[in-house]
Amino acid sequence: MFSFCRFLLSLALLAPLPAGAADVIRVEFQMLSDPEIPPIPPNSKFDVRCISLWSQALRRPEVDYQRMAAETVARARELNMPGVDALKPELRTILAAPATAPSVRYAAARALIVLDDRESSTVLLEQSRVGGLLLRQLVEPALAEWSDEAIQPIWRDRLSNSQSPRQELLLAIRGLGRVGDPAALPKLLEMVHADDRPPEVRLAAAEAAGRIAAEGLEAEVDRLLAAPDRLRRLSANELLSRHSSPRAVELLSLLGRESEPTVAWKALARLREIDPALVLPLAEVAMRHADANVRREGIETYLALPTPERMAFVGRLLDDPHPALRGRIRDEFVVLARRPELDGPIRDIARSVLAGESWRGQEQALLVLGTLDDDPSAVRFLDLLKSPRPEVLVTAAWGLRKVAVAETLPAIQQFVTEWTAKRRTMGFTLAQDHQIAHLCEALGVMQHQPADALLREYLPLNLVMGELSRPAAIWALGKLYDGRFDQKLAEALIGRVLDPATMPPEFSEVKQMSAVSLARMKATSTVERLQGYLGPVVTPHREPLVLRWSLMTLTGKEIPLPEPITVTVGSWFLEPTTNAPAEE
């Protein structure tokens, strides 16, 4: 039985925070990390026998065989399949053959580019010159990436030819900018100022010129801004994209004050690259801008150069309409609050936002203050359990578990009691299930013994009691009975683990948390039954790994970790039959 709740649980288990991202705040369930049971990811395996089949397909005369084989080689390389480099010579042969169909030629060229076959640059260039625009649009950016010298004279010729088709001219401009060809700079600057050129050509020329020259284009920018329109201001930014002279800083500061969002954003971004302090005079105006990219530059400037006053200002944007911006402030606030001089101001502005009426600000303030264990905010957290917004009511419940203020326990228990009664007679949303699950965890974390009977109501198999609330309540019971055996509870928990194949079947998460709680309460009388349910072999899936942990906790005996599952990456257009001999 699959459900959205189970999907969320699987994501939490299979996607741990990457290294260096420990300060990213997430509303997580503690039952998924306490105890910590690392997943065992599968090993990927490739059947290299496929390569000889693809080689045969490339040599066949049928167009579809050749095309599909070339496309498959590219996909295999993208998936890091070993051995596909051996097909480079055949792909070059197909690419160079005069009779090759256009669709096959394109697929072969793309495969060689994906294979990073720089030895094929000559044949790629030859075929792109005689082929159509579609092939040139594929090949020329790759040759630019490889800094191929043979194509650069061709690009320069296009710049000098007034009859060059627009799309091919754009390819040349971008290619010359990518390789940083200084010989092309005068012609590119001429295009930047040419009123008779299409806007996209002029802007591309400005971008290429800015990539080539890191100094000396200030006079060109002055010329553009003498009669400014949107295109000229955008072009001015591109010309200054690598400049950092005092005059360039003056020009960028002028452009950073523009009302046009893209102009202001690009200028502010370059100023911040040079030195965030250069943006300080413009930061607060930027943070009031209607455009999110402009606001981001002001936000990043204040976060990079934090003071109590700046934190008070930027903290107002915890309510920003753009989720990435308010999330960035939230996460950085938690990091900056480690500094003694910033801790108080950050908590103050977060409490102020929490007291407001905006659900966006409330959600982010809950995350900040919950992570910072801000005990004084717990009363407000209780109030927000009744928020009409699911984002807020769930986060408030999570926050109560995080701050773990004992004085909130009676109110938490009362809230869970009321909703436990309601859910038996009325509809219950996914958000409410999340909320009650977090609150059950809070009752367990703080070992609130009066909640014992309430939590036991979630033991029987009853779908209306929720896919998340039930395992959370069972996990919480384990916290209440940590090191304290209770025969009746132990029998109820082992009953959940051993639940027969009923319809609907018992949730795996319930079985897992029941096993964890049995281990915590030292229910050694259930070891034989747990072992019988697990079986003689531990498989590398979440439920068996949890049972392994429980049995080791109960018995003190080590159980070896299982080997990862090997998954063959497949679904290729040609694969060997299962009884085909393996290649040596």
Side-chain angles (χ1 to χ4, degrees):
M1 180 177 180
F2 181 81
S3 70
F4 180 67
C5 293
R6 188 163 298 181
F7 176 67
L8 290 176
L9 286 167
S10 66
L11 284 183
L13 290 168
L14 297 176
L17 287 176
D23 295 314
V24 176
I25 304 172
R26 300 188 180 187
V27 177
E28 84 291 350
F29 286 104
Q30 189 167 331
M31 62 179 167
L32 297 180
S33 58
D34 181 11
E36 184 176 359
I37 300 175
I40 301 178
N43 290 330
S44 295
K45 175 187 175 183
F46 293 92
D47 190 341
V48 295
R49 296 176 298 171
C50 293
I51 295 174
S52 63
L53 295 178
W54 302 340
S55 175
Q56 294 175 47
L58 288 170
R59 295 194 300 268
R60 290 185 65 87
E62 293 91 346
V63 168
D64 284 343
Y65 269 106
Q66 291 182 330
R67 175 184 57 79
M68 293 173 71
E71 291 172 347
T72 301
V73 171
R75 175 173 168 251
R77 183 53 179 278
E78 290 170 340
L79 294 173
N80 298 315
M81 182 177 186
V84 290
D85 284 356
L87 299 177
K88 288 177 181 178
E90 289 162 298
L91 289 165
R92 292 180 202 144
T93 300
I94 288 175
L95 181 62
T100 298
S103 62
V104 177
R105 197 181 310 279
Y106 184 93
R110 181 177 179 275
L112 288 167
I113 291 168
V114 172
L115 290 168
D116 196 33
D117 181 31
R118 303 191 181 204
E119 294 181 16
S120 68
S121 59
T122 300
V123 67
L124 283 167
L125 176 56
E126 291 172 356
Q127 294 305 317
S128 70
R129 295 186 68 179
V130 299
L133 175 62
L134 188 63
L135 187 59
R136 285 192 282 278
Q137 288 176 324
L138 171 70
V139 169
E140 292 192 14
L143 295 178
E145 179 69 24
W146 297 344
S147 297
D148 183 72
E149 294 182 357
I151 195 173
Q152 293 177 34
I154 298 171
W155 286 336
R156 293 191 208 105
D157 288 345
R158 284 188 205 161
L159 262 62
S160 301
N161 185 355
S162 60
Q163 303 303 312
S164 294
R166 182 171 57 88
Q167 290 298 332
E168 296 193 1
L169 179 60
L170 287 170
L171 283 172
I173 291 170
R174 290 164 183 155
L176 290 165
R178 179 68 183 83
V179 300
D181 182 11
L185 187 59
K187 194 64 182 178
L188 290 169
L189 292 173
E190 180 185 320
M191 289 182 178
V192 171
H193 297 290
D195 291 337
D196 59 338
R197 291 282 191 176
E200 62 271 28
V201 171
R202 294 172 65 188
L203 189 59
E207 182 179 359
R211 295 190 69 158
I212 293 169
E215 58 183 7
L217 299 184
E218 293 87 349
E220 303 293 337
V221 174
D222 285 331
R223 181 180 169 190
L224 286 170
L225 298 183
D229 56 22
R230 183 174 183 271
L231 177 60
R232 288 185 174 88
R233 296 196 299 273
L234 289 170
S235 298
N237 264 329
E238 296 298 343
L239 290 180
L240 296 172
S241 63
R242 297 175 60 215
H243 284 48
S244 57
S245 68
R247 179 56 182 157
V249 169
E250 290 179 16
L251 292 167
L252 288 166
S253 297
L254 179 65
L255 291 166
R257 293 180 171 86
E258 291 282 348
S259 59
E260 171 62 39
T262 306
V263 174
W265 162 46
K266 289 270 190 175
L268 292 170
R270 177 56 191 156
L271 284 171
R272 191 165 61 83
E273 284 179 359
I274 300 168
D275 183 355
L278 296 172
V279 185
L280 284 175
L282 308 173
E284 293 191 8
V285 173
M287 282 186 274
R288 294 188 179 100
H289 202 283
D291 184 80
N293 285 320
V294 178
R295 294 199 303 278
R296 179 184 289 112
E297 295 307 317
I299 289 168
E300 293 294 348
T301 297
Y302 267 20
L303 293 177
L305 302 169
T307 65
E309 295 75 21
R310 290 171 190 160
M311 296 303 94
F313 189 93
V314 77
R316 302 171 191 173
L317 273 72
L318 285 169
D319 185 37
D320 193 274
H322 198 290
L325 295 188
R326 60 183 187 262
R328 171 73 177 121
I329 297 168
R330 171 201 70 212
D331 293 338
E332 193 63 18
F333 265 15
V334 172
V335 177
L336 293 173
R338 298 169 187 166
R339 304 188 189 181
E341 74 277 12
L342 298 178
D343 181 61
I346 285 174
R347 290 174 188 264
D348 287 343
I349 186 60
R351 290 169 189 155
S352 175
V353 173
L354 187 68
E357 297 299 321
S358 168
W359 71 267
R360 290 188 294 258
Q362 289 172 349
E363 180 189 19
Q364 302 310 314
L366 284 164
L367 289 164
V368 170
L369 295 168
T371 304
L372 295 178
D373 294 328
D374 192 65
D375 292 0
S377 298
V379 174
R380 179 62 172 158
F381 286 18
L382 286 170
D383 292 339
L384 293 176
L385 290 176
K386 299 177 182 178
S387 170
R389 293 292 307 198
E391 301 92 337
V392 175
L393 64 87
V394 171
T395 309
W398 167 85
L400 286 166
R401 192 260 295 167
K402 291 288 286 184
V403 297
V405 175
E407 288 76 13
T408 63
L409 284 168
I412 292 174
Q413 181 176 343
Q414 180 61 31
F415 190 89
V416 174
T417 299
E418 291 174 0
W419 275 106
T420 300
K422 289 179 182 179
R423 72 195 305 166
R424 298 180 188 275
T425 58
M426 59 185 291
F428 209 72
T429 67
L430 178 63
Q432 288 164 335
D433 192 28
H434 275 74
Q435 181 189 53
I436 297 304
H438 285 299
L439 293 177
C440 287
E441 284 191 339
L443 294 170
V445 166
M446 291 183 272
Q447 294 188 315
H448 189 52
Q449 300 300 328
D452 187 348
L454 171 62
L455 295 171
R456 292 193 192 214
E457 292 188 43
Y458 287 84
L459 277 166
L461 175 55
N462 186 344
L463 292 181
V464 302
M465 301 303 281
E467 292 186 45
L468 290 170
S469 300
R470 290 186 62 228
I474 291 168
W475 177 88
L477 283 167
K479 288 291 189 178
L480 261 60
Y481 283 87
D482 195 355
R484 185 164 58 95
F485 179 72
D486 180 280
Q487 180 65 38
K488 184 176 181 181
L489 178 58
E491 289 302 315
L493 291 172
I494 192 63
R496 292 298 89 224
V497 175
L498 304 177
D499 185 74
T502 56
M503 288 301 295
E506 182 58 277
F507 298 123
S508 178
E509 294 76 26
V510 169
K511 292 175 178 281
Q512 293 170 37
M513 297 307 129
S514 296
V516 167
S517 292
L518 284 168
R520 289 210 164 112
M521 66 189 301
K522 310 300 181 188
T524 55
S525 60
T526 64
V527 166
E528 186 176 343
R529 286 175 283 178
L530 284 172
Q531 183 65 68
Y533 180 77
L534 176 62
V537 178
V538 180
T539 58
H541 300 99
R542 170 72 180 178
E543 185 177 308
L545 290 173
V546 171
L547 288 166
R548 170 184 173 271
W549 176 89
S550 299
L551 283 166
M552 289 196 304
T553 302
L554 287 168
T555 64
K557 297 178 181 178
E558 182 66 23
I559 300 175
L561 276 171
E563 293 295 322
I565 293 175
T566 298
V567 177
T568 300
V569 180
S571 299
W572 309 109
F573 103 101
L574 275 180
E575 296 178 344
T577 58
T578 55
N579 58 356
E583 292 188 354
E584 296 295 332

